[in-house]
Structures are given as structure tokens and as C-alpha cells.
Amino acid sequence: MHIHVLGSGAGGGFPQWNCNCENCKGVRAGTIKASTRTQSSIAVSADGINWILFNASPDIKKQLDDFPVFQPARLVRDTAISAIVITDAQIDHVTGLLTLREHNKPWEIYCTDAVKDDLTTGFPVFNILGYFRGINHHEIATDQSIFTIPTAAGIEFTAVPLLSNAPPYSPRRDKPVPGDNIGMHIKDTRTGKSLFYAPGLGVAEPHVLEYMRNADCILVDGTVWTDDEMSKEGISNKRASEMGHLDQSSDGGIMSILNAMEKPRKILIHINNTNPILNEDSSQRATLNKAGIEVAYDGMDIIL
């Protein structure tokens, strides 16, 4: 099973277009050692030919261009993306669907009914796509049952409900239901190896921790270093926890959770532009390195 990181940044990418925090200024000026990042998305393949796209970020065009495998050029209009899985209805994970509107047939889209509701009401992307080739919706259940995708033979998928709020434009905002946000357990039945993917994680519930412990690799929320990081930068009064993200450095944060796990390879994804770990020479990055926790980057390849 091949996992390719298309985008490793949080909303806005890095540097964010209108941000002059220390990180964004530094990477533009070349005064810090850091790599630019597009907004988070991964792709998974069982055979290296057919790829399942996880979330379609606003940066999807650049991500497709940066991964030539996605354009096999077998037909006049072609793509190696055979299906799309959406983990939540946030703008950062679905706006790229509009760029993909010129597909020559309906997209095979897998998402929960809660996400489908949001994408046909508060942010009606699915309705807009209906004026082009449309979509075929495949419901992802929230009962942790295994499902498969025909073009990913040998791979089993399990949606893992995460405690999270619906997007600001959702009719169910502040009335969350299972399926507003999911992590994904992805298992290659041929090797027995598995990945747990959760770019947004606000609460590490017992069932989530169990999936994380048993995975061979974790790609998990690495948005911020401290809960008050964005307020300290003068960017937002909201804490990360209010936005559905666990910080890395606090007692009970992502780092302490990962440090208690021995089996999986541990990789942070969905890194916000304010997070000091983006500076590869920072003390915070050194702390992660010492703990054996990696930081995802655009173009990263993982083979399980």
C-alpha cells in the first residue's frame, strides 16, 4: 500500500497568503529553515495505478501537478484518481472538488450522510457539481464497519467517528452528530499493515486510541504546538481546542499521547502556519525529533 502526502499544511497552507507571523515572514525571507506546504490531503493506492484521494483541498491543482502519476495520459482526458473519500465538510477539505468539476464522468465520492447533508445545504458543492458530471455518493457508515472501494483491491477502510463540531455554515452547527468528522483506518489485507489517518483530532476518545495503538503508521493532527498559539500571534482569540484540534505540547496533548505508544510510526500532518515545528532548527522540532515523531511534508511517500 502506497500513501502519498499531497498537502501537509492546515487551512491557508504555509506561508498563508495574508499572514506575517514569524514563520510566514521567515519562510518568505529565507531566514528560517522550512518548507512551504499546501493544505492537507493524501492519496492511497493498492497498485500504484488507481489512487483514492482523501479530501480535495483548495490547492488540488498544484498537488496534481506535483505528482505526475496522477496523469497517466491514457485518454484525451484522464486521471489516476478513481474515487474520493471526504472526512469532513470543512472548506479546506472540499473546495478542491470545484476544480475537479471537469471530470468526464460522475465522481465516486465516499462520505458520511452528515457530510453529504452539509455539502448539499450549507455549502452546496454537490449541488454545483450536479450541473457538470455530478457525483455518485457512497455512504460511509459511522458504526466502524469495514467497507471497500472497487478500485482499491486488497484494502479495507474503517471510518472512525471523531468528536467534533460541524462546519460554521452547517445547519447543525453546535449540534454535532457522529459523522461530522471521521478518522480513517486503512488496512492492506495482503500485508496486514495499516494506517490511521486523522488530520483533525480534538478529543482522543478510547476507541480512537485503540485504532492508533494498533496501526503500523499514524498520520495525525499536528495543527498547533500550544493551545493558545494563535492568540499569542494576535491572529485569533480562539484556542485550538475550540476549533477541534489537540495541541502537541500540553499534558494530554498529541505528543504525550504518541509517546505512550510503541508500535506505530508517528507522523504529524495538518500543520498550521504558526506552529514553531515548521522551523526545522527550532527547539520544538528538536523535541519531536528526540521523541521519534515525524513531521509530514508535501510529497512524502509512505509504503506499508
Side-chain angles (χ1 to χ4, degrees), residues 227-228 230-232 234-240 242-243:
D227 193 36
D228 62 351
M230 298 191 45
S231 62
K232 285 197 293 187
I235 293 171
S236 171
N237 291 326
K238 285 187 176 181
R239 291 180 171 269
E242 295 177 77
M243 297 183 284

Side-chain angles (χ1 to χ4, degrees), residues 74-291:
R74 299 162 297 195
L75 304 168
V76 174
R77 289 203 168 181
D78 199 9
T79 180
I81 300 171
S82 59
I84 302 172
V85 175
I86 302 173
T87 61
D88 60 57
Q90 299 288 348
I91 285 175
D92 304 334
H93 284 160
V94 300
T95 311
L97 291 173
L98 298 176
T99 300
L100 301 178
R101 67 191 180 279
E102 294 164 330
H103 194 34
N104 57 3
K105 58 184 177 181
W107 279 111
E108 305 298 327
I109 293 185
Y110 293 73
C111 66
T112 66
D113 279 345
V115 167
K116 180 188 176 186
D117 287 346
D118 286 341
L119 297 182
T120 53
T121 55
F123 186 31
V125 173
F126 285 174
N127 300 353
I128 295 169
L129 292 176
Y131 290 96
F132 298 89
R133 295 293 185 178
I135 69 163
N136 292 325
H137 172 245
H138 304 267
E139 180 190 354
I140 295 179
T142 57
D143 60 359
Q144 299 177 57
S145 57
I146 293 171
F147 69 95
T148 58
I149 296 175
T151 51
I155 297 182
E156 295 179 341
F157 304 86
T158 305
V160 183
L162 306 177
L163 191 60
S164 180
N165 204 349
Y169 39 80
S170 170
R172 291 173 291 95
R173 179 68 169 179
D174 297 324
K175 300 174 185 176
V177 299
D180 283 327
N181 185 20
I182 57 171
M184 190 65 65
H185 181 259
I186 308 168
K187 181 179 179 180
D188 188 330
T189 60
R190 300 160 299 182
T191 64
K193 302 291 186 179
S194 65
L195 170 78
F196 179 75
Y197 176 57
L201 182 63
V203 181
E205 299 175 275
H207 72 281
V208 177
L209 292 174
E210 189 67 16
Y211 278 103
M212 292 172 70
R213 287 190 200 99
N214 292 322
D216 292 284
C217 182
I218 300 172
L219 266 174
V220 69
D221 192 335
T223 306
V224 294
W225 183 255
T226 61
D227 193 36
D228 62 351
E229 183 176 301
M230 298 191 45
S231 62
K232 285 197 293 187
E233 287 277 2
I235 293 171
S236 171
N237 291 326
K238 285 187 176 181
R239 291 180 171 269
S241 54
E242 295 177 77
M243 297 183 284
H245 299 286
L246 277 172
D247 69 86
Q248 281 143 48
S249 62
S250 69
D251 187 20
I254 287 290
M255 190 163 58
S256 64
I257 290 170
L258 295 181
N259 283 342
M261 298 179 181
E262 295 184 5
K263 179 183 178 181
R265 179 182 177 186
K266 306 156 189 175
I267 308 172
L268 301 177
I269 196 168
H270 195 272
I271 318 298
N272 198 58
N273 61 84
T274 55
N275 195 327
I277 67 172
L278 289 172
N279 182 344
E280 296 175 27
D281 292 328
S282 66
S283 60
Q284 293 87 349
R285 186 65 169 264
T287 299
L288 289 181
N289 291 341
K290 186 177 180 180

Side-chain angles (χ1 to χ4, degrees), residues 30-51:
T31 57
I32 64 171
K33 184 180 179 182
S35 299
T36 60
R37 285 166 163 81
T38 58
Q39 294 165 89
S40 75
S41 175
I42 67 170
V44 175
S45 178
D47 56 13
I49 299 171
N50 298 290
W51 290 82

